[in-house]
């Protein structure tokens, strides 16, 4: 089982309220909260989902049940590899696994 969990969401959105309203040709402020709280974040999330990439700095955690074995998804280069989701990467903060003695490494 592979599980990808959002730890820290982006601190801002890639599009400003003014830019989004200009693109939609909205010149009144009645719906500013709707744009800022729902429309812009939903649009960013949809783009990230469709492209399998992130647009802004975020922190994610990838959980795997075990190291990749001979599954075709991981055997493309003749050796096991862990495919990391949601590029591009700025850094990998930590790599932790539980060994056969149930110790965290």
């Amino acid at each position: 089982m592979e599980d990808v969990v959002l730890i820290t969401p982006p601190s801002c959105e890639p599009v400003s309220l003014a830019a989004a309203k200009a693109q939609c040709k909205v010149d009144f402020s009645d719906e500013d909260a709707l744009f800022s709280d729902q429309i812009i974040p939903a649009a960013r999330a949809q783009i990230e989902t469709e492209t399998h990439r992130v647009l802004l700095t975020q922190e994610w955690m990838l959980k795997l049940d075990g190291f990749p074995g001979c599954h075709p998804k991981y055997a493309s280069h003749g050796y096991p590899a862990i495919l990391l989701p949601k590029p591009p990467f700025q850094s990998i903060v930590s790599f932790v696994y539980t060994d056969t003695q149930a110790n965290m490494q």
Side-chain angles (χ1 to χ4, degrees):
M1 177 183 92
E2 185 175 294
D3 194 13
V4 181
V5 179
L6 178 63
I7 303 299
T8 307
S11 61
C12 63
E13 293 297 337
V15 177
S16 68
L17 174 61
K21 286 175 61 176
Q23 178 66 31
C24 295
K25 298 182 181 16
V26 173
D27 58 1
F28 51 88
S29 60
D30 297 351
E31 304 296 337
D32 284 2
L34 178 67
F35 270 86
S36 295
D37 299 340
Q38 294 180 20
I39 294 173
I40 295 171
R44 176 193 43 81
Q46 184 63 32
I47 290 167
E48 290 177 343
T49 298
E50 288 184 18
T51 62
H52 303 286
R53 301 177 86 67
V54 295
L55 301 178
L56 300 162
T57 300
Q58 303 170 32
E59 185 177 351
W60 290 83
M61 179 177 17
L62 172 64
K63 296 179 182 180
L64 300 172
D65 281 347
F67 285 103
C70 296
H71 190 281
K73 177 179 177 182
Y74 296 106
S76 62
H77 298 291
Y79 55 87
I82 296 174
L83 301 177
L84 300 175
K86 303 193 179 291
F89 300 102
Q90 293 175 335
S91 66
I92 295 177
V93 176
S94 67
F95 180 89
V96 179
Y97 68 95
T98 305
D99 65 17
T100 57
Q101 305 298 316
N103 298 315
M104 296 286 284
Q105 301 291 333

